[in-house]
Amino acid sequence: MNVVTHQQLLQAQGFTVIDDIFTNAEVASLIAIIQRADSSNDTFRKTKDLFAIRQFLKEVPDVVPFVFNDMLKDTIYRLFGDGYKPVKSIYFDKPGASNWFVAYHQDLTVSVKEKADVPGFGPWTVKQQQYAVQPPLPVLESNFTVRIHLDDTDEHNGALRVIPGSHNKGIYRPETIDWSIETEVSCPVPKGGIMIMRPLLLHASSRTTNNHKRRVIHIEFSKEVLPAPLEWSELMR
C-alpha cells in the first residue's frame, strides 16, 4: 500500500479505495456471524429494500475480532496514526432487487449517549432511540469513515457516487451544488476492499439495477474528546 498516495487522495478528493483488506474467508465469516444475529431489537431495520443494523458493533459483538483484523488496524495506523477509535457503526444490506437510494448529502451528525445542551452542538435528532447531533465543524473535518464491502460493488448495485473535493468546502447544501463546476464520480469497491471517506464528502447511492446484493459495514472513527456531559454512544476503547 502506498501510504502517501492514499493520504494525498483523502486530502484532495475526500476518499480513497484500498483493495484486499479482507480475504474471501474473512468476508464469509463476517456474513455468517451477521446471519446468526438476533434481529428482533429496535436497532434492526428490515424492509424489502434494506436490512440495516444500527450500533452494529454493539449489537453483533462477535464480528469485532473479524472486522478489526491486522490488515485494517495496520491501514488505519499507517494513514492516520494513533488515537482514532470507532464511535459509530452501521451494517447495510441492500438486496439485489432493491429500489432504495440515497440522495446527495454530507454526514453532518455524530451519535451520542444522551442529549445535552452544549454550546456549538446542534441541531439534534433521535432515530431508533439513538441521539444524533451536529458537532462543530472541526470535529467533522477530523473524523473519517471506513466502509467495508462484503460484495463486489459498482455503479449498478449501489456504489457511492461522490463529488471529489466537496469535503473541503465546509457545510455544502446539496441544493446548492453547481454542476457547471462540480464533477460526479462513482466509487466501485471490490469484495474485501474498503472505501475510506471524510464525513463532509458529498455522497449519494443509486438504485440497484443488476440484481446483485450490496452489503457494507460502515464504521466512523474519531479522536475527538466530546465536552462533558456528552459521550460517544459507541466508543470502543
Side-chain angles (χ1 to χ4, degrees):
M1 181 182 74
N2 190 319
V3 173
V4 173
T5 297
H6 288 297
Q7 289 174 329
Q8 290 173 340
L9 288 170
L10 282 165
Q11 174 59 36
Q13 295 188 159
F15 72 96
T16 192
V17 173
I18 306 175
D19 299 349
D20 299 323
I21 298 296
F22 296 85
T23 65
N24 286 338
E26 288 172 325
V27 170
S29 294
L30 285 165
I31 292 170
I33 294 168
I34 293 165
Q35 289 175 338
R36 293 197 300 266
D38 177 4
S39 61
S40 62
N41 291 346
D42 291 340
T43 50
F44 288 67
R45 171 189 171 194
K46 192 165 190 176
T47 70
K48 66 181 179 65
D49 288 321
L50 176 69
F51 173 47
I53 307 173
R54 294 185 178 277
Q55 302 187 46
F56 173 64
L57 299 176
K58 290 172 66 174
E59 292 291 345
V60 193
D62 288 349
V63 302
V64 171
F66 293 91
V67 167
F68 295 100
N69 69 1
D70 289 342
M71 282 289 291
L72 182 63
K73 290 188 291 187
D74 181 65
T75 297
I76 291 172
Y77 174 75
R78 292 172 69 188
L79 290 178
F80 300 100
D82 284 322
Y84 279 92
K85 303 290 184 183
V87 294
K88 181 178 179 179
S89 59
I90 310 173
Y91 170 72
F92 294 108
D93 179 345
K94 189 175 183 179
S98 175
N99 283 318
W100 179 65
F101 71 97
V102 180
Y104 265 108
H105 66 286
Q106 296 172 301
D107 293 336
L108 294 178
T109 63
V110 297
S111 296
V112 296
K113 287 184 177 180
E114 300 291 343
K115 185 176 180 180
D117 185 13
V118 175
F121 285 77
W124 287 81
T125 59
V126 61
K127 185 182 293 185
Q128 294 174 308
Q129 302 178 359
Q130 174 67 72
Y131 287 103
V133 63
Q134 184 171 323
L137 199 59
V139 175
L140 296 174
E141 291 172 335
S142 171
N143 291 0
F144 66 88
T145 297
V146 173
R147 292 170 60 87
I148 301 167
H149 283 250
L150 306 183
D151 300 286
D152 290 323
T153 308
D154 60 22
E155 65 272 18
H156 303 297
N157 66 326
L160 290 189
R161 307 187 330 269
V162 307
I163 299 178
S166 53
H167 68 299
N168 287 323
K169 300 182 179 182
I171 306 300
Y172 194 161
R173 300 299 178 189
E175 62 271 17
T176 69
I177 297 172
D178 184 349
W179 290 110
S180 68
I181 61 172
E182 301 290 13
T183 301
E184 175 185 273
V185 301
S186 179
C187 303
V189 184
K191 175 182 175 180
I194 64 173
M195 177 180 178
I196 305 176
M197 58 181 282
R198 293 295 188 179
L200 291 174
L201 179 71
L202 275 165
H203 57 286
S205 176
S206 298
R207 293 178 174 89
T208 300
T209 59
N210 64 358
N211 206 37
H212 291 171
K213 293 173 70 71
R214 189 213 70 179
R215 290 167 290 188
V216 172
I217 298 170
H218 170 113
I219 306 174
E220 298 176 17
F221 291 80
S222 184
K223 63 178 180 181
E224 302 295 322
V225 177
L226 297 177
L230 295 180
E231 297 181 69
W232 296 109
S233 65
E234 301 178 58
L235 179 64
M236 284 184 58
R237 300 295 180 182

